[in-house]
Amino acid sequence: MIPIFGLIIGLVVGLAVPYSIPAGYSVYVAVVILTLLDSVLGGTVAVYQGRFDLKIFISGFFGNVAVALALAFIGEQMDVPLYLAAVFAFGNRLFDNFSTVRRLISAEHEKRKALKESQKAEKEN
């Protein structure tokens, strides 16, 4: 849950600070934002599955940012929208990770509900 709270705080601060991004950098910023969202949701999945590793999270984030920015830069130099490859890849993973987080949270909620019901049944007997 901490990554999600961090994301929410970041969004609130980002919306509250009056700053506009120059048009020339908008592709790069969009790619970095998608990479960040993908990393946060991927980290959240790993936390719920009990396999989170901070080193993997950080190296994955910076590695993904580097590859995505390189694609965007090379594409811009060639006048080919290569950044779209990163947008599609991270967009797809973003939705996959979101659905996984949703399922894991639902399963955890059902587990807690069943535990409470079994504890209540034990108290009644």
Side-chain angles (χ1 to χ4, degrees), residues 29-103:
V29 172
V31 167
V32 169
I33 289 171
L34 274 175
T35 307
L36 173 69
L37 290 172
D38 174 58
S39 294
V40 167
L41 284 176
T44 305
V45 168
V47 165
Y48 275 104
Q49 292 177 342
R51 56 181 181 84
F52 181 79
D53 184 359
L54 186 60
K55 291 178 188 174
I56 299 223
F57 176 78
I58 291 172
S59 66
F61 171 71
F62 286 112
N64 287 340
V65 166
V67 169
L69 288 177
L71 277 174
F73 179 75
I74 291 168
E76 194 171 285
Q77 299 305 309
M78 295 172 28
D79 201 25
V80 175
L82 288 180
Y83 72 92
L84 290 176
V87 169
F88 290 137
F90 291 122
N92 186 38
R93 284 182 19 181
L94 185 72
F95 285 107
D96 285 344
N97 285 335
F98 179 72
S99 65
T100 303
V101 167
R102 187 175 37 86
R103 276 188 249 113

